[in-house]
């Protein structure tokens, strides 16, 4: 750190650097932030998480792209690209246990000089965000914003580790869920019926009704074309 290597572009302070210069000279930087540096993100991490201070790595890259101006000329405009990878522990809304949510974010921003300019900016590209740059730009704040925006709407395990049937159905129904349409003999000791307990088939759960609604909703629209 005693010597500057001009080629490497030098280090930036991710809390305060000139993002316009960063863009115009096409610089790159990379680093890491911990959840403990992101207070609003830390709020989302449950107290009983195995690790409340996980790490995110980031890469930032500045660039310019020619853009058509109001006066018909083209001018190079500043852009920032951000890649963000890591994981944070969140509370599963299904079983209320903590689980590790991974984040893989790639974003591109058009940098503008003021809020006014940002509001006037014609948004014709969904994937491009417009942000207000600064000579004291706080990349860590942007990183936190992106993470918060990327939080799942309903955080949950893909498969919860320990959801008990009794919690879902409200009944310890070993036999309750075995009814099917052509089962006339209810007293059968058929060994195959043991398997049915694990299936989704007759399990009364809160989503079953919703699923049924969805299926019922799809009416035959192709029948009457007139
Ligand atoms: Zn869960």
């Amino acid at each position: 750190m005693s010597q500057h290597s001009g080629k490497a572009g030098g280090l930036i302070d991710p809390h305060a650097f000139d993002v316009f210069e960063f863009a115009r000279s096409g610089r790159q930087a990379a680093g890491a932030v911990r959840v403990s540096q992101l207070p609003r993100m830390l709020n989302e991490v449950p107290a009983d998480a195995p690790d409340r201070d996980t790490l995110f790595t980031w890469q930032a890259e500045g660039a310019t792209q020619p853009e058509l101006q109001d006066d018909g000329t083209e001018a190079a405009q500043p852009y920032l690209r951000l890649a963000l990878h890591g994981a944070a522990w969140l509370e599963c809304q299904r079983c209320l246990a903590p689980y590790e949510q991974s984040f893989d974010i790639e974003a591109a921003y058009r940098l503008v000089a003021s809020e006014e300019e940002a509001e006037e900016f014609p948004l014709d590209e969904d994937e491009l965000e417009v942000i207000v740059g600064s000579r004291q730009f706080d990349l860590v704040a942007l990183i936190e914003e992106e993470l918060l925006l990327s939080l799942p709407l309903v955080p949950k395990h893909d498969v919860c580790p320990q959801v008990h049937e009794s919690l879902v159905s409200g009944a310890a129904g070993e036999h309750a869920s075995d009814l099917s349409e052509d089962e006339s003999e209810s007293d059968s000791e058929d060994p195959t019926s043991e398997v049915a307990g694990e299936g989704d088939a007759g399990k009364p759960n809160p989503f079953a009704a919703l699923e049924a609604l969805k299926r019922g909703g799809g009416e035959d629209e192709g029948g009457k074309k007139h």
Side-chain angles (χ1 to χ4, degrees):
M1 293 253 277
S2 59
Q3 238 180 352
H4 257 282
S5 157
K7 196 186 173 199
L11 298 168
I12 60 162
D13 174 0
H15 281 288
F17 67 98
D18 186 340
V19 72
F20 294 112
E21 190 272 333
F22 189 83
R24 292 194 191 287
S25 40
R27 294 174 69 184
Q28 296 182 355
V33 288
R34 294 202 161 273
V35 173
S36 57
Q37 294 172 258
L38 311 169
R40 287 188 295 155
M41 192 64 191
L42 188 59
N43 275 342
E44 305 294 327
V45 181
D48 59 343
D51 184 359
R52 298 200 73 214
D53 198 14
T54 48
L55 190 78
F56 291 95
T57 58
W58 57 264
Q59 294 89 40
E61 184 182 351
T64 57
Q65 280 182 31
E67 249 173 45
L68 201 60
Q69 308 298 291
D70 288 339
D71 63 6
T73 65
E74 278 196 344
Q77 299 297 341
Y79 283 78
L80 177 69
R81 283 185 208 288
L82 175 67
L84 195 52
H85 302 281
W89 287 84
L90 303 174
E91 183 179 73
C92 172
Q93 297 305 295
R94 195 158 44 197
C95 71
L96 301 183
Y99 78 102
E100 197 170 25
Q101 172 75 48
S102 64
F103 292 81
D104 293 290
I105 298 167
E106 302 219 357
Y109 311 92
R110 165 70 156 82
L111 297 163
V112 295
S114 67
E115 290 286 352
E116 284 176 358
E117 194 182 340
E119 281 168 22
E120 288 168 11
F121 200 87
L123 274 180
D124 50 2
E125 289 180 67
D126 287 335
E127 294 182 5
L128 186 68
E129 293 174 64
V130 177
I131 56 171
V132 180
S134 160
R135 309 273 173 215
Q136 299 281 307
F137 188 73
D138 190 347
L139 185 67
V140 178
L142 179 65
I143 286 170
E144 181 166 36
E145 200 64 44
E146 280 299 338
L147 289 173
L148 290 167
L149 287 172
S150 303
L151 284 170
L153 208 57
V154 180
K156 59 181 191 311
H157 287 104
D158 288 336
V159 178
C160 291
Q162 40 186 326
V163 175
H164 299 287
E165 298 290 312
S166 54
L167 280 178
V168 177
S169 64
E174 265 184 51
H175 305 287
S177 59
D178 252 346
L179 301 171
S180 72
E181 286 175 55
D182 23 53
E183 200 158 0
S184 47
E185 297 175 12
S186 56
D187 61 340
S188 71
E189 292 288 317
D190 186 355
T192 58
S193 65
E194 286 177 19
V195 185
E198 290 297 309
D200 283 345
K203 194 195 305 179
N205 76 48
F207 301 107
L210 187 62
E211 283 300 318
L213 275 178
K214 281 185 192 167
R215 281 197 296 270
E219 295 172 27
D220 287 351
E221 289 177 19
K224 295 178 182 177
K225 277 185 181 175
H226 237 328

